[in-house]
Amino acid sequence: MLGLVTQTSVYHWPTEGDSEPIKMFDRTANLANNQIINYRCDPSEKWLVLIGIAPGLAERPQLVKGNMQLYSVDQQRSQALEAHAAAFASFRIPGNERDSILISFATKSSNAGQVTSKFHVIELGAQPGKPSFTKKQADLFFPPDFADDFPVAMQISHRYSLIYVITKLGLLFVYDLETATAVYRNRISPDPIFLTAEASSVGGFYAINRRGQVLLATVNEATLVPFVSGQLNNLELAVNLAKRGNLPGAENLVVQRFQELFAQTKYKEAAELAAESPQGILRTPDTVAKFQSVPVQAGQTPPLLQYFGTLLTKGKLNAFESLELSRLVVNQNKKNLLENWLAEDKLECSEELGDLVKTVDNDLALKIYIKARATPKVVAAFAERREFDKILIYSKQVGYTPDYLFLLQTILRSDPQGAVNFALMMSQMEGGCPVDYNTITDLFLQRNMIREATAFLLDVLKPNLPEHGFLQTKVLEINLVTFPNVADAILANGMFSHYDRPRIAQLCEKAGLYVRALQHYSELPDIKRVIVNTHAIEPQALVEFFGTLSREWALECMKDLLVINIKGNLQIIVQVAKEYCEQLGVDACIKIFEQFKSYEGLYFFLGSYLSSSEDPDIHFKYIESAARTGQIKEVERVTRESNFYDAEKTKNFLMEAKLPDARPLINVCDRFGFVPDLTHYLYTSNMLRYIEGYVQKVNPGNAPLVVGQLLDDECPEDFIKGLILSVRSLLPVEPLVEECEKRNRLRLLTQFLEHLVSEGSQDVHVHNALGKIIIDSNNNPEHFLTTNPYYDSRIVGKYCEKRDPTLAVVAYRRGQCDDELINVTNKNSLFKLQARYVVERMDGDLWEKVLNPENEFRRQLIDQVVSTALPESKSPEQVSAAVKAFMTADLPHELIELLEKIVLQNSAFSGNFNLQNLLILTAIKADPSRVMDYINRLDNFDGPAVGEVAVEAQLYEEAFAIFKKFNLNVQAVNVLLDNIRGINRAVEFAFRVEEDAVWSRVAKAQLREGLVSDAIESFIRADDATHFLDVIRAAEDADVYHDLVKYLLMVRQKTKEPKVDSELIYAYAKIDRLGDIEEFILMPNVANLPNVGDKLFDEGLYEAAKIIFAFISNWAKLAITLVKLNQFQGAVDAARKANSAKTWKEVCFACVDAEEFRLAQICGLNIIVQVDDLEEVSEFYQNKGCFNELISLMESGLGLERAHMGIFTELGVLYARYRHEKLMEHIKLFSTRLNIPKLIRACDEQQHWKELTYLYIQYDEFDNAATTVMNHSPDAWDHMQFKDIAVKVANVELYYKAVHFYLQEHPDLINDLLNVLALRVDHTRVVEIIRKAGHLRLVKPYMIAVQSNNVSAVNEALHEIYVEEEDYDRLRESIDLHDNFDQIGLAQKIEKHELLEMRRVAASIYKKAGRWKQSITLSKKDNLYKDAMETASQSGDRELAEELLVYFIEQGKKECFASCLFVCYDLIRPDVALELAWMNSMIDFAFPYLLQFIREYSGKVDELIKDKIEAQSEAKAKENEEKDVIKQQNMYAQLLPLALPAPPIPGMGGGFAAPPPPMGGMGMPPMPPFGMPPMGPY
């Protein structure tokens, strides 16, 4: 959800879906004109708080004022408070069931000069009738340096119940939420903080400061409680913090407080303290025992139950507490309490707890075992409940492996199907089945459980793996012997492929499963032996089996089946051949059937294959087999439908077969064009009925062929005529006529054709044939040709050409057969007929053809057209078409001849407008000399159009005459100007006609010719203002501005164009009429003054431009213009009005060039406030060499209101380059306002190392700072500064570089540096550096300071120094405190030292290293007997101690002998000591040892006797207790009703099962074999 704060209101906007913002409340008046810095809501979104800040009061404006608006959603009320920061918290008050909502806020205000800083914690919406939170208040103490600081954020740590108050300047206040007690205060950021957020995972908060750093602050759990208890001395707060946050450090306080409460008999408070003890330090068996030891007062709750009750309300009990509480509950028989606590997860489950609960509730105990992961107990419980499937699931979950074989045997006895399910579940376990599949199968088979074994194996063998081949064979064998149908189903499933196939094949054959036997046999003799049992094999299965055989084997088996019983097996063989013809080969199958002469089989086989075959031979064989088996209908169908048989071969076969039904032969001959053969066969076979049937019903379209063949066979005409008339309209006339015409028997059809015509037939072929008969009989053919509308003119005309050409022309004319008519007229010289036809047709394509130059008869045709055809014509369209044809044929002379005859001679077309136009146009094209005569003689033609054509034909005088004749003066003057190019004639013509348009055309021509002044005069005469742009451009090019002014004044009267007014101003400027410009711009005008000003400026007319820019207030341009006029003061004033960076820059740069530095600085101050322009100004000044002036400019810019980082940075760069002495002061004064990376580059370039170092420090680049100091130490090094840098560098290598640097240049200060770096450097590496330099003693103080880290190199270096200085005390102290060094090497080095104490140290080292003998030898050598004795005692080596005794005796050191016995008392054997003392007369010195030995051993004997007596007493008491228990059980048994004993479990022995013995050992009952507990009756 988003919170939106507007100027007046606050909204919540849910982010789910398409919801709209929801208004929550309006802002109160105290937040008006405030800057909102925070808005928060409590977890329930019932309380909202808005915080803002505003400027302080007048008496102290630097102290920012804070305002807060608290809003209640339920009450819809607001409260205005003074506060800078606030936060909501949830807190559980003791005695309440729900959390209370608290608000904490901090305020800092000033009243009468007194500043008050307060922190408040208040409860919101107290719960009725419940304890409320007492309001808390505390002071916020601000140090004097932070007097004007104020809180900006507040965060709550719910993890520790702490409040973090963060101020603007980076102060952090930490308060306790419950008591508002101040816990901690420190500054966490040197830069202002403006944003914080809760870090709930670590109990702290995130903060972002102005530098962009993200800070994470939280408490140190290890030191918080010690800090509060030690530094603040607030023990109660320390304990509360430890309890709330489960923090370490308060253990002693908590234990002490617990003991005090216990001593005061405040058991309830003690119980609560123990329950809330941090890290559970009091949740121990000792605490439970302590509460158990308290005697119970009558009428009061036992303290132990109070303790457990408190724990239950606070959380969950641990294992020991759960066990003790459950023991109490079980003893009181309150099992329901246990169930409730377990459901609420109040108890920690353990195996011991399960054992305890099992005595009262097995189900509840099972739950406890499962939670406690007591796997053996869980498995035993499931087994008792017979929930074996759960055993597998549980075992898999916990990774336990029970005895699966035993479990399976147990289930088999009572539940065979359950055993199968259990076995299947085992097989699906990850990692494989724990019991071998074969073993499981044998278990089933031993009990004759065939079905169960089969079910199990079928399921586990589904993956069909090679390694399961034996089991696959086994399951098939047992079923083939017992249940063959099951085996058949298994094999049909095809789920196995790795079994013994030959063995299974034999068993299948014996069981009568012949199909399965065939599928498994792999030898041909076996297959042949089995396959003949067709009576016992389903045909479909046998057919499918053939599909598995090779081609050769299948053919062999087919032959065997046909040999044995061809009639019985033919259908199977046909089916096999049909199914596998592609594999076996169709030819091979056909060969088999033909070999056994089985046409029936061939017929059935080919019948199925025929539809997919395109082999002609196959189709023929099928037809043949069908015919031989009497399947006439099938023969007829195939011959009718098939497209693939050999027609010739089939036709011959059918003719030879002489079938009684001729329809198959009719099909073949009709489809494949053997109609004549068919007709001849039927006619000769006297099958006239089939001829009539074929023509009438099958294919009337082939009747012409039948008629032709019958004519060839000399069939009587009556039969043929009857046959034709029987078909009539169905008969195709054209082929019939063709057939009769070929045989010159066309008259045979006269009756048939007349009959068709009488019926109204319009068939063209009918009328063609009838026409041919009429033409041949000369029965008035012209009448037929002109009146009959149905015949084909082209066919009949062609038929007439050889008989009578005129009849052909009639036919062609009627059908508009142009090509044929032209050919026949040309061929027979009938040109007059041709000319008339062409004129009448009015067809452009026909005209084009006859007027084609390649036509040898063109001239004869033209003569006939001109002399006969056109004069006869009265149709304008025919004339027009002819003229157009002549034009298209490009015959101009012939066309003129034609047109003169029509137009100039008095004819019907003399005054025709189009023909007059055509005559003149043709003359223009073909004979220009006649054009002027035609213009003068003709009046009805299109003057404008003809004139344009004359112009295009370059007949300019004729065109001028035409335009002049029709008063087209503009076109006439255009001809003079554009074509004849006579400007003078045009001017004369213009003076004569005095038309504006003419003068305008003349003016344009003069303008084109460069006669600008004349053109302007002509435009003025024409009063034409339309071409002012061209006139302006030409006048400017010719520099005739005086004339242009006159023209533009005329134009202004016609139109209001900005261009005109603008150019008029420009013209005034060009002729230096500045007064006219001032006067003009004051009058109304539409001039584009900005553009005019720019143009004047660009051309250097600055005075005129100044007038324009001043008038339009374009101060930027005015300033630049004044610069051009060297009027710099005015330019600055104009730039100030323009207030444009670009203008300021141009004026500034111009002033710099003119050395007007005062004015330049005024401009520069207005430029450098813009970051983007600052660098350009700086570069310009520097390029001009004006360094001091630039620095002065920048220094002045520092005091500007809009001064930005760039000015400070650029001034620093300038100081670095030109005034080094001011650089450091500038950097220190303005370090926060500098672009440090840029200044760093400048200092690096100018080699100002000290300043560079300071900048690196300010920019937190401590690595670069350290490197700079070391590389340029004469200028940059300062010891205190370098120490501060060194501890902040990130590159570890710089530490060691600094060590080298100090060794070389400042060895006297190296210890000071190393002490600072001690926590960061590798001490071993530092020592190696110093050692190589040979100055170990120089860093002795440093090594002493860091020796507490116990670093080998440091220890050994100090040891070297101590040995050299013979400082054995320090050496011994170092060795005792630090053991990380080469002990043996140091010992060997100093064991021969001249100082005794050094050698003593060597002995001590040997002792610490465990080299006891060397230490003792060295001590003996220096007579340090005490050391030797102590070493022997510490070694624990009896032999060394006794050797030392012998040494003292040999040396006669009796006192040392006695002392050694005392010191090495535990090592020396009494018999050895007494023997040595007796033999060397030192009994007196050994007597103290002897007394101590006797006293010790007598005490041990007394202890043994006491233990034995106590053990006997305990055994006797236990025996008596067991006897009492048995007596009590017998007493209860007498009270119980009689019951029958449960039946014995198979395999578990007979009789009554013994009850479980009491728990012993580790709490587990004795287990019977296979890991199962004894199972008693239920």
Side-chain angles (χ1 to χ4, degrees), residues 674-830:
F674 300 127
V675 176
D677 294 342
L678 172 65
T679 305
H680 179 73
Y681 171 79
L682 295 176
Y683 182 74
T684 56
S685 300
N686 201 20
M687 294 176 135
L688 299 180
R689 182 173 58 86
Y690 280 101
I691 294 176
E692 292 174 349
Y694 173 69
V695 172
Q696 294 170 2
K697 298 178 181 179
V698 177
N699 193 350
N702 282 338
L705 297 176
V706 174
V707 170
Q709 184 62 40
L710 290 175
L711 289 173
D712 291 341
D713 289 341
E714 299 180 355
C715 179
E717 285 189 1
D718 294 337
F719 178 77
I720 296 174
K721 289 179 180 180
L723 186 64
I724 292 172
L725 291 174
S726 67
V727 181
R728 281 194 289 187
S729 59
L730 298 177
L731 186 65
V733 177
E734 182 182 10
L736 179 62
V737 171
E738 184 181 350
E739 291 292 328
C740 293
E741 192 174 352
K742 281 193 301 184
R743 294 168 175 80
N744 201 18
R745 302 287 292 275
L746 196 58
R747 289 177 182 271
L748 180 69
L749 303 178
T750 303
Q751 184 182 357
F752 166 67
L753 295 173
E754 289 176 348
H755 183 76
L756 290 179
V757 171
S758 66
E759 289 182 348
S761 173
Q762 297 179 1
D763 188 354
V764 66
H765 303 295
V766 173
H767 291 273
N768 286 345
L770 191 58
K772 290 178 182 180
I773 295 172
I774 292 172
I775 290 168
D776 284 341
S777 62
N778 198 18
N779 185 12
N780 195 5
E782 292 179 356
H783 175 74
F784 175 82
L785 294 176
T786 54
T787 59
N788 189 301
Y790 304 117
Y791 70 90
D792 187 339
S793 297
R794 188 171 282 103
I795 294 174
V796 175
K798 184 72 173 175
Y799 190 78
C800 294
E801 280 187 12
K802 295 180 181 180
R803 292 167 175 77
D804 187 349
T806 56
L807 291 178
V809 171
V810 173
Y812 288 144
R813 187 187 192 96
R814 174 257 186 193
Q816 294 186 351
C817 302
D818 298 338
D819 293 340
E820 289 79 1
L821 188 145
I822 297 300
N823 290 333
V824 73
T825 53
N826 286 341
K827 188 176 181 180
N828 296 283
S829 300
L830 302 174

Side-chain angles (χ1 to χ4, degrees), residues 1205 1208-1209 1212 1226-1227 1230-1237 1239 1255:
M1205 182 181 287
F1208 293 90
T1209 305
H1226 178 72
I1227 292 173
F1230 306 110
S1231 60
T1232 59
R1233 306 193 67 177
L1234 293 172
N1235 183 346
I1236 294 179
L1239 195 53
L1255 287 171

